[in-house]
């Protein structure tokens, strides 16, 4: 079943399935490591395998949110609209460091540069704010799914973008009204969005949006929502 399910993947996505992710318990305590492939197979998710991930919401200084459409070659939720950049810290020393979520923020910086093509001289770890965490479990198809505690990270900065087409099918900056319209179209079956993006918008982004110039009152690093 796994071999049949990956026929749509490009070479990059197949290679990235062998990355080693951080396996955790529901308190977000590290208990081991496993491949990205194993962490996203529903047969393992149904046995309780849980990993650490992150989602970046990138706003420009006009308070528009960068929304991307995932490439059709993605193994989970291909072609779906979603947040600015979602991925995982790897089981390597620099991304395992937990104080101030610095390991996850380093991972986010790595992926913002690799996936969105942001030049290294335009963004640093100091630009990435750790807001809170959210537990999620969702199924993409009969084979693939997601089961993670995701760190929600926020960036507000004007940046140059050059997304990798192997990762990103399309992208655009959207106002709050534009994003709400996207959710409304998805509810009518006219668009596809990832489950975590809908919950992220409804639970976090809509309350945060009027206060993007100072989000400090909303920072909850000790909280894990969804449990």
């Amino acid at each position: 079943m796994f071999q049949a399910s990956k026929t749509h993947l490009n070479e990059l996505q197949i290679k990235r399935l062998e990355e080693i992710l951080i396996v955790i318990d529901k308190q977000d305590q590290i208990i081991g490591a496993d491949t990205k492939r194993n962490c996203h197979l529903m047969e393992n998710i149904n046995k309780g395998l849980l990993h650490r991930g992150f989602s970046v919401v990138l706003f420009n200084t006009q308070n528009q949110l960068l929304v991307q459409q995932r490439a059709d070659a993605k193994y989970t939720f291909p072609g779906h609209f979603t947040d600015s950049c979602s991925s995982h810290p790897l089981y390597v020393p620099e991304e395992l460091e937990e104080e101030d979520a610095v390991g996850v923020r380093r991972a986010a910086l790595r992926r913002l540069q690799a996936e969105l093509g942001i030049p290294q001289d335009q963004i640093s770890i100091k630009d990435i704010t750790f807001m809170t965490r959210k537990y999620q479990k969702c199924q993409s198809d009969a084979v693939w799914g997601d089961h993670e505690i995701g760190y929600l990270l926020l960036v507000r900065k004007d940046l140059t973008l050059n997304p990798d087409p192997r990762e990103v099918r399309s992208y655009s900056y959207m106002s709050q009204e534009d994003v709400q319209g996207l959710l409304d179209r998805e509810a009518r079956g006219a668009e596809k969005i990832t489950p975590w993006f809908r919950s992220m918008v409804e639970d976090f982004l809509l309350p945060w949006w009027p206060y993007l110039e100072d989000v400090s009152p909303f920072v909850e690093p000790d909280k894990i929502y969804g449990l």
Side-chain angles (χ1 to χ4, degrees):
M1 182 181 292
F2 167 65
Q3 289 295 329
S5 74
K6 68 177 185 178
T7 55
H8 72 289
L9 303 184
N10 60 34
E11 184 177 348
L12 174 66
Q13 300 300 329
I14 293 172
K15 181 179 179 180
R16 292 192 62 214
L17 285 174
E18 301 311 312
E19 293 176 342
I20 305 300
L21 306 190
I22 301 167
V23 176
I24 53 174
D25 61 22
K26 286 189 176 181
Q27 287 71 50
D28 194 26
Q29 299 300 305
I30 298 171
I31 58 174
D34 210 333
T35 63
K36 187 176 183 180
R37 176 184 60 188
N38 287 341
C39 286
H40 290 86
L41 287 172
M42 284 305 304
E43 61 183 281
N44 296 327
I45 290 172
N46 290 332
K47 296 174 185 176
L49 186 60
L50 179 66
H51 64 277
R52 184 176 288 172
F54 66 81
S55 290
V56 179
V57 287
L58 169 58
F59 291 88
N60 61 22
T61 56
Q62 287 73 51
N63 293 340
Q64 296 170 314
L65 174 67
L66 180 68
V67 176
Q68 68 155 280
Q69 185 180 20
R70 293 163 64 84
D72 292 332
K74 289 283 193 177
Y75 58 98
T76 58
F77 301 98
H80 286 55
F81 289 95
T82 194
D83 52 282
S84 311
C85 181
S86 293
S87 192
H88 312 87
L90 302 180
Y91 196 83
V92 294
E94 59 270 24
E95 296 185 10
L96 284 164
E97 190 172 342
E98 297 193 308
E99 185 175 358
D100 298 324
V102 68
V104 175
R105 290 160 62 215
R106 284 178 181 141
L109 181 64
R110 170 175 56 82
R111 290 305 302 162
L112 286 167
Q113 294 169 346
E115 183 172 316
L116 297 184
I118 298 173
Q120 293 185 12
D121 61 355
Q122 289 190 14
I123 190 168
S124 73
I125 193 172
K126 295 179 181 178
D127 297 313
I128 303 171
T129 301
F130 169 39
M131 298 296 294
T132 192
R133 292 171 289 177
K134 175 76 181 290
Y135 169 83
Q136 66 175 21
K137 183 179 182 181
C138 51
Q139 185 168 346
S140 179
D141 57 28
V143 177
W144 300 107
D146 206 2
H147 189 213
E148 70 174 41
I149 291 178
Y151 284 57
L152 185 50
L153 309 172
L154 186 145
V155 176
R156 183 175 181 268
K157 194 173 188 181
D158 293 326
L159 298 164
T160 301
L161 304 176
N162 184 25
D164 186 339
R166 297 173 299 177
E167 301 275 9
V168 180
R169 178 175 168 183
S170 67
Y171 64 99
S172 63
Y173 279 101
M174 293 188 176
S175 67
Q176 182 174 338
E177 292 74 21
D178 293 335
V179 171
Q180 185 61 61
L182 179 63
L183 297 188
D184 293 344
R185 292 194 300 277
E186 189 267 346
R188 300 194 302 268
E191 300 284 8
K192 296 185 295 183
I193 66 174
T194 60
W196 65 85
F197 183 52
R198 171 173 283 279
S199 64
M200 183 187 308
V201 171
E202 294 176 340
D203 296 342
F204 303 109
L205 299 191
L206 293 181
W208 294 352
W209 220 301
Y211 308 100
L212 288 174
E213 293 185 17
D214 181 15
V215 294
S216 56
F218 299 95
V219 174
E220 299 179 287
D222 298 324
K223 182 84 172 179
I224 302 177
Y225 284 88
L227 289 173

